[in-house]
Amino acid sequence: MLLSFLWFMLFVGVVLWVAYRNHSHAFATLAIAVVLAGYTLTGAAPVWWKAILWAAFAPLALLNVSPIRVRFLSRPFFRIYKRLLPRMSSTEREALEAGTVWWDGELFTGHPEWNKLLSAAAPKLSSEEQAFLDGPCEELCRMLDEWDITHHRADLPPEVWDFLKKKGFFAMIIPKKYGGLEFSAYAHSCVLAKLASRSTVACSTVAVPNSLGPAELLLHYGTEEQKNHYLPRLARGDDVPCFGLTAPRAGSDAASIPDTGIVCRGTYRGRETVGLRLDFSKRYITLAPVATVVGLAFRLFDPDKLLGGEQTDYGITVALVPADAPGMKLGRRHFPLNVPFQNGPVEGKDVFVPLDAIVGGPKMAGQGWRMLVEQLSVGRCISLPSNSTGGAKGAVYSTGAYARIRQQFSTPISKFEGVESVIARMAGNAYIMDAGRSVTAGAIDGGEKPAVPSGILKYHTTELGRVIVNDAMDVQGGKGICLGPKNYLGRGYQLTPIGITVEGANILTRNLIIFGQGAVRCHPWVLKEMNAARDHDHRRALGEFDKALMGHIGFTISNAVRSLIRALTLSRIVKAPVQGPTARYYEHINRFSASFAFATDVAMLSLGGYLKKKESLSARLGDVLSCMYLASMVLKHYDNQGRPEADLPLVEYACRTLLYRAQEQLHSFLRNFPVGWLAAVMRLAIFPRGLTYFAPSDRLGRKVAELVTNPTESRERLCDGIYKTLEPTNHLGLVQEAMVLAVAAEPLLKRIRVEGVKTGRVTALDLPSQIGQAEAVGILSAAEATQLREYDRKVMEIVHVDDFEPEELEAGQVTPPKAHREAQVA
Ligand SMILES: Cc1cc2nc3c(=O)[nH]c(=O)nc-3n(C[C@H](O)[C@H](O)[C@H](O)COP(=O)(O)OP(=O)(O)OC[C@H]3O[C@@H](n4cnc5c(N)ncnc54)[C@H](O)[C@@H]3O)c2cc1C
């Protein structure tokens, strides 16, 4: 009996071991056969039972024989698969196949190879890039007056426009040979983050020409002639670009634009030529009102087959259209939420341009969508993540200091638990954002074009930015709300919905893109299966599908077992790639990776194309992927910074927040999964011990809050790269200065309270009078009284908000919407 039990345990152990290690089918068969043979020869069980076991083993063994496997498993499955595979438009396929697979791919394996991430070099600025940040970028920040820009001018002043052009701010991605700065992705990101901490308008203005737009498209697809003409002009600022894709009827579904370009004969600048007649109406186009050249996306038709092919509908195409071409109408402005960077509609009626206006020339007709999605991955990793992170760092820096200098109930508000927990959340979120931004920029500099991470970063940095700025507004109270030259939060608050909406609006990005693209691109087998199903050579297709299917089955079983064992052991069975206090987070990411991979496979296998419609399920799986990705970025960022021990609370807070959220989203996914029994099976493999992961504790939150409400090195590291120079118009510098003074002032304030107010020797109600009385009765020395008066003056300069004469706030000349409509109709 005991022997039989031991054999049974050995059998179970071997099966689990083979599955956990994801050994090949042949190896698994051999290992199980050996155990079964041993059991048959020495086990005490009756012969009929052993026969049943061998009979159950036989199909597993037979699947090693390729013709049998193909006939009885792969072929029938292939037929069903082809029927179930959702139809995909070419634009959808191009979007799915764009960019590269990087660390996101590892997270889909269930067993990430950490060395791939940890061995990557830390992003670094060259001396030239550092000099730009310390020189022109610093100088620009000093020139910017956000209130003047947003309230009086609704534009950057002319000298700032000149400075931006002259110093190459619009040419960070343009190679030096064309007169650009040729900065690394990391440097580009650092410039935007710094500007974002100073001016919403300047940052948005600089971000656009360096992101997806004419320069980026020309660099990758332009003809030599186009590059030589446009790139030096763009680098010098002789040309100001904008990119027009969005139309009134085509927002998120940008591929459905109704704008057309018809190939025809016409006259361009006095010359008869074959060209395009363009009719379009675009809106929301950043820089359009001041642009001199418009990168335009439209649908190309060639009814007379002048391009020489048989096609008449070429699909989406991109051309560069001079703003002064006859029929072009631009100059009017939208007014995006009191953050008045240049943005407006562009219209064109019968605009004629030659064929070589197409980016890349006529041979690139119809390639527009591919061009856009291929290049979007890089720009989307940089512009909005840097913009949001710079703004978030500024908010944390000012809020940490403000909470320390602002007293209520005779106590700095940073000491109240409620405020402390909000500040901890702000700091933890800012760490996550900075880690994601900088590590991913480093990967781009290493040659990656990470498509799925670009969606993750775009969505999460803008969402976390929104949480941070809301938190900052809560902590700073009326100070954040009353607009005026003294307000340093309001415009950032107003900017957040803009980041949320552009470059793929966030609801769409979360529900449709992150997981949808990841499941196809990053999964080790799905794309191979899909490609096989679309292959017209049936023999080859079946062979490829057979290989992929066997890999996929082994992969799914393996992840189910890994998930179960790691959950049961609280992931202690996993070997972390590092030692020390962060090791546990690596182990937990490995656990969630296996659970996520298993859940992904079950969902795709059981729901197929229907999963695309079940957006809330996809969104939750996307959240799990995003949380693992961002937690990995946090760990790598900590590593890149030399693992400073003082920053550990930030790292722990960030990782705990993310992994707790991963757990909660997996749990919600299971609760809402439409097939009950499958949800139960998944729950068994994913949460056999229930929900065991906890969010950051209050104690940890307190440690984090202390790091950013004191003048610590961790605070400086977290908020590194923002504009915090101490000068009269820089609020971030001033609030930091006051916080440093607060550390020395607090014991003196306490002395006044304890020795003066409580004993009745100091009776005044306001601090300046209390200081006078305390000095008079000898509680403070003359020097201490002077020190406190100076401190109080600086604090009150920060605490004060602006007020205005009523006529100063009267609205200017705004055309009423009705009158505007009538004018347009006329
Ligand atoms: C200030 C600003 C600057 C811009 N700059 C440019 C520019 O320079 N060039 C340019 O071409 N465009 C630009 N845009 C356009 C921007 O990219 C679009 O606003 C964006 O694509 C969303 O389109 P929409 O506003 O029409 O929203 P809609 O497409 O109407 O979407 C409305 C809501 O529905 C959600 N939604 C839509 N489809 C789905 C789905 N399948 N699943 C789930 N949710 C969905 C969206 O997430 C969104 O929340 C800019 C926009 C703004 C506001």
Side-chain angles (χ1 to χ4, degrees), residues 117 257 303 519 766:
L117 181 67
I257 41 172
D766 66 305

Side-chain angles (χ1 to χ4, degrees), residues 208 243-246 250-253 283-286 336 341 343 498 501-508 511-512 615:
V208 168
F243 188 76
L245 171 65
T246 307
S252 299
D253 184 11
R283 64 172 178 175
Y284 304 151
I285 310 305
T286 301
F341 56 87
N343 181 284
I498 299 176
T501 301
V502 301
E503 290 193 15
N506 273 10
I507 299 179
L508 168 108
N511 286 266
L512 211 64
E615 287 194 349

Side-chain angles (χ1 to χ4, degrees), residues 786-800:
T786 308
Q787 179 191 341
L788 263 192
R789 279 192 196 99
E790 185 58 8
Y791 167 67
D792 185 50
R793 187 184 63 76
K794 291 198 162 160
V795 167
M796 290 318 290
E797 262 173 32
I798 292 163
V799 167
H800 279 315

Side-chain angles (χ1 to χ4, degrees), residues 10 91 138 144 192 206 357 373 495 623 662 670 759 764 802 811:
L10 183 65
T91 49
E138 186 83 5
L144 296 167
L192 293 181
V206 171
V373 290
L495 182 72
D623 288 345
L670 294 176
T759 58
D802 300 284

Side-chain angles (χ1 to χ4, degrees), residues 132 135-137 139-140 143 160-172 179-181 183 235-236:
F132 187 84
C137 204
E139 200 179 332
L140 173 63
M143 291 165 79
V160 169
W161 277 106
D162 286 346
F163 190 83
L164 290 174
K165 290 175 185 175
K166 207 168 92 204
K167 297 292 177 183
F169 279 88
F170 294 153
M172 286 190 275
L181 296 177
F183 275 178
R236 287 193 303 270

